[in-house]
Amino acid sequence: MKITVEHADVAENQVILRCPALDEEMLGVLSLLRSGLQRLCVWDDRRQTTLLSPGEVVYCETVDDRVFVYTGQAMYQTALSLGELENRYGPLGFFRAGKSAVVNLHHIRSLASREAGRIQATLETGEKLMVSRRYAPLLRERLGL
């Protein structure tokens, strides 16, 4: 795929995809572009609603059937399930780390192998998150390890 960036005097940014056919590669690019424009609706403990960019999310977890979203500065709740978060924002780096966690790969500082095939991910916030042995091979594949 050839990528060209043109600087132009236009009112708003524009993306044009030129292709002989809308193949899997181009559908992936299109999906990535569309998902990047989305916002994640969350609320805090005072029930104040906030719209987050998916890139702000460090990780998400379920506790007592509620989904919590963690950024570098705050904790929120969302009505989306972990599966919905993974499907919706997977192209932006969201990865299922276990039955009760989704991590944003862009916020991982380091990885360390642990017993039973698990991986410990240290996040930019300093928190440590275990990637279960079920998802560890998928993480290695996704990161090209």
Side-chain angles (χ1 to χ4, degrees), residues 58-91:
V58 176
Y59 74 100
C60 309
E61 70 176 345
T62 57
V63 177
D64 297 330
D65 294 326
R66 295 186 296 175
V67 178
F68 293 92
V69 174
Y70 299 88
T71 67
Q73 297 78 32
M75 175 187 74
Y76 302 97
Q77 285 187 59
T78 183
L80 297 175
S81 69
L82 289 181
E84 289 170 324
L85 289 167
E86 180 186 20
N87 289 333
R88 201 176 279 190
Y89 305 113

Side-chain angles (χ1 to χ4, degrees), residues 25 28 33 44 49 63 86 98 107 114 121 124 145:
E25 180 183 40
L33 289 168
D44 61 19
T49 302
V63 177
E86 180 186 20
H107 289 282
R114 292 292 179 243
E124 290 175 344
L145 302 175

